[in-house]
Structures are given as C-alpha cells and as structure tokens.
Amino acid sequence: MKEEHLAIEMASNLIHIAEQVLREGDVEKYLHTIRESMITSLKIGLYKLGLRPLYENTHRLYLQIPYMYRPSVGEPELEEFEFKYGIITSNLTKSIPVDERFLNASKELAERIYLWAESIVKACDGEMKK
C-alpha cells in the first residue's frame, strides 16, 4: 500500500519537474517527463484494479483499463499525444512545430490522469479497510 502512495507522489512530482524543465526551455525533456508522469499514473491505476500493465505507451495503457474505470481523458487525446511525442522527440526528424497549446494540453492530460490514479488508490484503499 505504501508503494502506491509513493508512486502517486512521484507522478505528481514529475508534473512539477516538467513545468520547471519547460521554463528552462527544454521541450523534449518536458514532454518526456510529462509522459513519464502519465505512464506512472496509469500503471498505478492498473495495479490497484488488479491488472498488470503490459505497455510503456500511454494510449495502450489507457486501453488496458476496463471501460468503466477509465480516466476522464479521451482516446484520441492520448493517440495524438503519443503521435506528436514520437515525432518531436525523434532524432530522425523535427518536422512539426511545437505549439504552446499542445504543451499545455499535454500537462492537462497528465494532471487528469494523475487525479484519476489518486482517486483509484484512495477508493481501493478504502475498500480494503472495510
């Protein structure tokens, strides 16, 4: 139980670290850190739901969550994030411009997924106490 609380705290801290990294101007590191927060949060939620995370991709982890327990983010949002993340962080090409809306939307996704994971941990811990 304590491990989940430490992991959920880490997911939150990653969002704050990402904000600092963006202020320093490192967009790639910002996106990587935001993605790590999302993956950490999704994995915690899956573990608490009794499922083993099978992927290292936000979209695929999301699809692994039973429909009724999914966070309040859309599948297209995560698909777009993974697609743009892959292109922006690829060493092969820097073919798309990074706009501020995408950066803000990415952070908002991470925050929503974090809040979902936090609520799953609290709900599951509450059931264990009964």
Side-chain angles (χ1 to χ4, degrees):
M1 184 164 92
K2 187 172 182 164
E3 298 87 22
E4 289 94 359
H5 292 280
L6 290 174
I8 206 72
E9 187 177 320
M10 184 175 86
S12 175
N13 288 339
L14 285 168
I15 294 170
H16 297 298
I17 291 167
E19 291 171 331
Q20 178 60 38
V21 167
L22 186 59
R23 281 192 290 274
E24 294 168 3
D26 192 338
V27 171
E28 287 183 35
K29 188 172 180 182
Y30 167 80
L31 289 173
H32 177 71
T33 307
I34 286 293
R35 186 174 184 264
E36 284 304 310
S37 174
M38 286 191 251
I39 288 172
T40 300
S41 296
L42 289 166
K43 283 182 172 183
I44 294 163
L46 283 164
Y47 280 125
K48 291 306 280 185
L49 292 171
L51 301 168
R52 193 185 85 189
L54 300 175
Y55 307 101
E56 290 295 323
N57 174 297
T58 60
H59 180 241
R60 288 183 178 208
L61 286 168
Y62 172 84
L63 292 176
Q64 212 184 325
I65 300 166
Y67 185 76
M68 67 183 145
Y69 295 110
R70 287 184 181 165
S72 64
V73 298
E75 185 179 342
E77 290 174 286
L78 289 173
E79 278 182 312
E80 178 184 12
F81 172 79
E82 282 293 334
F83 175 74
K84 287 185 176 180
Y85 169 84
I87 291 175
I88 293 166
T89 60
S90 169
N91 290 331
L92 302 175
T93 180
K94 304 288 184 199
S95 62
I96 67 168
V98 181
D99 66 16
E100 196 167 324
R101 286 183 308 206
F102 173 68
L103 298 176
N104 291 335
S106 298
K107 180 185 166 213
E108 184 184 316
L109 271 175
E111 289 170 337
R112 287 172 27 213
I113 292 170
Y114 159 77
L115 291 172
W116 165 82
E118 183 182 51
S119 69
I120 291 289
V121 168
K122 286 178 182 177
C124 289
D125 287 349
E127 285 181 17
M128 295 170 118
K129 291 179 183 177
K130 289 182 181 179

